[in-house]
Amino acid sequence: AAALAATLRADAEKLRAGVVLSDADRYLPYLYPAACGADYIPEEALVFFDQPRRCAEKARDFAKQLSEDVKEQQRRGRIAAGSEYFALSFDTLMKRLGDFPVYMADAFALGQPPMQPKTLTSLFAKQLPSYAGSAQAAAEDVKLYLKQGSRVLVLALCKNCDI
């Protein structure tokens, strides 16, 4: 408690002096109501989960790391709020997303999905080759499949993402 009080006093003094706090995000739970990306999803949106079990696993890993980080910051007297004030739990997120139509794409329906499906659907999907940045070549292929009566979903992946 003494370390936290000292941190709060030091931060208040910095703010009075006009210094911008580089780690001001630790005060967010006290300044703004809890919010997450799901709060900004339009009502008419379709939520698409690719590999929902992997998403759940990543969320568990994130929650564990966040909890450890927050405990360390609490130990150092830098913050008072618990990790639940900095991120929504994955279960809570899944409950919020239950208001939307959700499509969970998974190659195998093994184990417990993050949310109970209302319908199971099997889709034939064809992965097309990379277009090496040529939007015109991709658009021509899409037009061809549409002419053949297929439905087309285009997913763009980030080369530098780790998921």
Side-chain angles (χ1 to χ4, degrees):
L4 179 59
T7 297
L8 293 172
R9 281 192 290 278
D11 284 350
E13 192 58 40
K14 288 177 187 175
L15 290 171
R16 278 193 283 277
V19 175
V20 175
L21 299 178
S22 62
D23 53 355
D25 57 338
R26 60 195 161 106
Y27 293 110
L28 287 176
Y30 306 107
L31 301 173
Y32 299 102
C36 76
D39 296 335
Y40 301 96
I41 298 174
E43 287 181 25
E44 67 279 1
L46 165 68
V47 177
F48 184 89
F49 270 113
D50 184 28
Q51 301 179 4
R53 286 168 190 81
R54 187 165 180 220
C55 291
E57 181 182 309
K58 290 279 190 185
R60 280 191 300 274
D61 293 346
F62 172 78
K64 183 179 177 185
Q65 184 64 52
L66 177 65
S67 178
E68 291 171 7
D69 292 347
V70 167
K71 284 177 185 172
E72 177 62 21
Q73 292 301 315
Q74 287 172 328
R75 188 187 67 72
R76 291 181 181 192
R78 306 231 348 114
I79 60 174
S83 60
E84 68 275 9
Y85 291 97
F86 291 96
L88 221 55
S89 74
F90 190 68
D91 291 338
T92 303
L93 175 62
M94 290 297 100
K95 286 177 186 165
R96 281 201 191 173
L97 293 179
D99 295 337
F100 298 95
V102 176
Y103 182 85
M104 294 184 284
D106 217 341
F108 304 101
L110 301 173
Q112 184 66 27
M115 67 181 2
Q116 204 55 35
K118 295 176 183 162
T119 305
L120 293 178
T121 305
S122 182
L123 296 176
F124 170 75
K126 181 176 182 180
Q127 181 176 343
L128 299 178
S130 171
Y131 291 99
S134 172
Q136 183 161 350
E140 288 172 12
D141 271 1
V142 167
K143 286 178 188 174
L144 176 69
Y145 281 102
L146 289 172
K147 279 183 182 178
Q148 294 173 353
S150 297
R151 304 271 190 230
V152 177
L153 172 67
V154 177
L155 300 174
L157 301 176
C158 174
K159 288 183 180 181
N160 299 323
C161 299
D162 73 9
I163 57 170

Coordinates of all heavy atoms in Angstrom, one line a residue, residues 126 128 131 136-152:
K126 N -12.2 -24.1 -51.3 CA -11.1 -24.3 -52.2 C -10.1 -23.1 -51.9 O -10.5 -22.0 -52.0 CB -11.5 -24.3 -53.6 CG -10.4 -24.5 -54.6 CD -10.8 -24.6 -56.0 CE -9.6 -24.9 -56.9 NZ -10.1 -25.0 -58.3
L128 N -7.3 -20.9 -53.0 CA -6.7 -20.5 -54.3 C -5.2 -20.1 -54.0 O -4.8 -19.8 -52.9 CB -7.4 -19.3 -54.9 CG -8.9 -19.7 -55.2 CD1 -9.6 -18.4 -55.8 CD2 -9.0 -20.8 -56.2
Y131 N -1.8 -14.6 -55.0 CA -1.8 -13.7 -56.2 C -0.7 -12.7 -56.3 O -0.7 -11.9 -57.1 CB -3.2 -13.0 -56.3 CG -4.3 -14.0 -56.6 CD1 -5.1 -14.5 -55.6 CD2 -4.5 -14.5 -57.9 CE1 -6.1 -15.4 -55.8 CE2 -5.5 -15.4 -58.1 CZ -6.3 -15.8 -57.1 OH -7.3 -16.7 -57.3
Q136 N -6.0 -7.6 -59.5 CA -6.8 -7.9 -60.7 C -6.9 -9.4 -61.0 O -7.9 -9.9 -61.4 CB -6.1 -7.2 -61.9 CG -6.9 -7.3 -63.2 CD -6.6 -6.3 -64.2 OE1 -5.9 -5.4 -64.0 NE2 -7.1 -6.5 -65.4
A137 N -5.8 -10.1 -60.8 CA -5.8 -11.6 -61.0 C -6.8 -12.2 -60.0 O -7.6 -13.1 -60.4 CB -4.4 -12.1 -60.9
A138 N -6.8 -11.8 -58.8 CA -7.7 -12.3 -57.8 C -9.2 -12.0 -58.2 O -10.0 -12.9 -58.1 CB -7.4 -11.7 -56.4
A139 N -9.4 -10.8 -58.6 CA -10.8 -10.4 -59.0 C -11.3 -11.2 -60.2 O -12.4 -11.6 -60.2 CB -10.8 -8.9 -59.3
E140 N -10.4 -11.5 -61.1 CA -10.8 -12.3 -62.3 C -11.2 -13.7 -61.9 O -12.2 -14.3 -62.4 CB -9.6 -12.3 -63.3 CG -9.5 -11.0 -64.0 CD -8.2 -11.0 -64.9 OE1 -7.6 -12.0 -65.2 OE2 -7.9 -9.9 -65.4
D141 N -10.4 -14.3 -60.9 CA -10.8 -15.6 -60.4 C -12.1 -15.6 -59.7 O -13.0 -16.5 -59.8 CB -9.7 -16.2 -59.5 CG -8.6 -17.0 -60.3 OD1 -8.7 -17.1 -61.5 OD2 -7.7 -17.5 -59.6
V142 N -12.3 -14.6 -58.9 CA -13.6 -14.4 -58.2 C -14.8 -14.3 -59.2 O -15.8 -15.0 -59.0 CB -13.6 -13.2 -57.2 CG1 -15.0 -12.9 -56.7 CG2 -12.6 -13.4 -56.1
K143 N -14.6 -13.5 -60.2 CA -15.7 -13.4 -61.2 C -16.0 -14.8 -61.9 O -17.1 -15.1 -62.1 CB -15.3 -12.4 -62.3 CG -15.3 -11.0 -61.9 CD -14.9 -10.0 -63.0 CE -14.8 -8.6 -62.5 NZ -14.2 -7.7 -63.5
L144 N -14.9 -15.5 -62.1 CA -15.1 -16.9 -62.8 C -15.9 -17.8 -61.9 O -16.8 -18.4 -62.3 CB -13.7 -17.5 -63.1 CG -13.7 -18.9 -63.6 CD1 -14.3 -18.9 -65.0 CD2 -12.3 -19.5 -63.6
Y145 N -15.6 -17.8 -60.6 CA -16.3 -18.7 -59.7 C -17.7 -18.2 -59.5 O -18.7 -19.0 -59.4 CB -15.6 -18.7 -58.3 CG -14.4 -19.7 -58.3 CD1 -13.1 -19.2 -58.4 CD2 -14.6 -21.1 -58.3 CE1 -12.0 -20.1 -58.5 CE2 -13.5 -21.9 -58.3 CZ -12.3 -21.5 -58.4 OH -11.2 -22.3 -58.5
L146 N -18.0 -16.9 -59.5 CA -19.3 -16.4 -59.4 C -20.2 -16.8 -60.6 O -21.3 -17.2 -60.5 CB -19.3 -14.9 -59.2 CG -18.8 -14.4 -57.8 CD1 -18.7 -12.9 -57.8 CD2 -19.8 -14.8 -56.7
K147 N -19.5 -16.7 -61.8 CA -20.2 -17.2 -63.0 C -20.6 -18.6 -63.0 O -21.6 -19.0 -63.6 CB -19.4 -16.9 -64.2 CG -19.4 -15.5 -64.7 CD -18.5 -15.4 -66.0 CE -18.5 -13.9 -66.5 NZ -17.6 -13.8 -67.7
Q148 N -19.8 -19.4 -62.3 CA -20.1 -20.9 -62.2 C -21.1 -21.2 -61.1 O -21.4 -22.3 -60.9 CB -18.8 -21.6 -61.8 CG -17.8 -21.6 -63.0 CD -16.4 -22.2 -62.6 OE1 -16.2 -22.5 -61.4 NE2 -15.5 -22.3 -63.5
G149 N -21.6 -20.1 -60.4 CA -22.7 -20.3 -59.4 C -22.1 -20.6 -58.0 O -22.9 -20.9 -57.1
S150 N -20.9 -20.4 -57.8 CA -20.3 -20.6 -56.5 C -20.5 -19.3 -55.7 O -20.6 -18.2 -56.2 CB -18.8 -20.9 -56.6 OG -18.6 -22.1 -57.2
R151 N -20.4 -19.4 -54.4 CA -20.3 -18.3 -53.5 C -18.9 -18.1 -53.2 O -18.1 -19.1 -53.1 CB -21.1 -18.6 -52.2 CG -22.5 -18.9 -52.4 CD -23.4 -17.7 -52.4 NE -24.8 -18.1 -52.4 CZ -25.6 -17.6 -53.2 NH1 -25.3 -16.7 -54.1 NH2 -26.9 -17.9 -53.1
V152 N -18.5 -16.9 -53.0 CA -17.1 -16.6 -52.8 C -16.9 -15.8 -51.5 O -17.6 -14.8 -51.3 CB -16.5 -15.8 -54.0 CG1 -15.0 -15.4 -53.7 CG2 -16.6 -16.6 -55.3

